[in-house]
Amino acid sequence: MVELTKPRKFVSAAKDYLKDREAHWASKTQDIHTNSLNHLEKFFSKTLLSEITAENISRYQAARKKEKASGRTINIEVSLVRLVMRKHKMWANIEDSVTMMKENKDIGRELSEDEAHRVLTAAKTSVSRSLYPAILISMHTGLRNKDLRLMRWHQVEGTITVGKSKTEGGEGRLVPLSKTAWRVMKERRSEFPDALPEHVVFPRESCGLMGTKGTFGGKVAPTRRSQTSPSDPGILP
């Protein structure tokens, strides 16, 4: 007697796929695809793998575009659908009918693993205490300079709300945080035990030359932070 295979939901299959790839992907790659699944899950939560069509994907692309996601971001998310369906021998059935989004080629390129490592290593040596966590969170979320600079603690609740939040109309875009980004955000919050919801996550810092009293030393170090004032433009990535 032939045993029938139980139909699988896309989200369950995708979670198993990410778990299987964990030992083979760099942590950044794993975080990127985990972040993609956070978005895909909202749209395909009840969808079986066998039910995904080119039309489903097109509607997903339209929905994400309406949320102001970039073509590059949407393509990365759809690529996870492709990887999961390819593993289950289903992608070939719809491949020719799927159209990927156009990407803005003027916004630069994604850093390689080595480049990202060198950028983060350099940021750790910066006198700015905001630079390293800001760059890492930007890498894992795609948030822009302005969004990072003006971010306040009431926007951070396991996700980051960008734009108008907590209104009756439910405005505001939710940006999921990867495990790494969430860990860094919690570490950041621990630096400000007295922070209020309206305080900024990356406050303005004052720096000075450290030395003995009455003299100038040769080491620049932060002296104080204003939790109500955001960092200056250009300080963050």
Side-chain angles (χ1 to χ4, degrees), residues 85-112:
M85 292 188 71
R86 183 174 288 169
K87 178 181 179 180
H88 291 269
K89 314 298 182 186
M90 295 181 182
W91 180 251
N93 298 330
I94 66 171
E95 182 175 10
D96 292 341
S97 300
V98 174
T99 302
M100 302 301 279
M101 302 290 290
K102 290 183 179 180
E103 298 184 19
N104 186 349
K105 302 300 183 182
D106 298 329
I107 60 175
R109 62 177 177 81
E110 183 180 1
L111 296 177
S112 67

Side-chain angles (χ1 to χ4, degrees), residues 41-64:
E41 187 169 4
K42 300 173 188 175
F43 193 88
F44 294 107
S45 61
K46 299 180 181 179
T47 307
L48 297 176
L49 268 174
S50 57
E51 294 175 333
I52 295 180
T53 64
E55 289 74 20
N56 292 144
I57 293 175
S58 180
R59 286 195 290 271
Y60 175 79
Q61 292 169 322
R64 290 291 285 129

Side-chain angles (χ1 to χ4, degrees), residues 126-145:
S126 171
V127 66
S128 169
R129 290 170 287 187
S130 295
L131 192 59
Y132 173 78
I135 289 177
L136 191 144
I137 290 170
S138 177
M139 285 180 172
H140 283 259
T141 63
L143 288 177
R144 299 171 300 174
N145 180 296

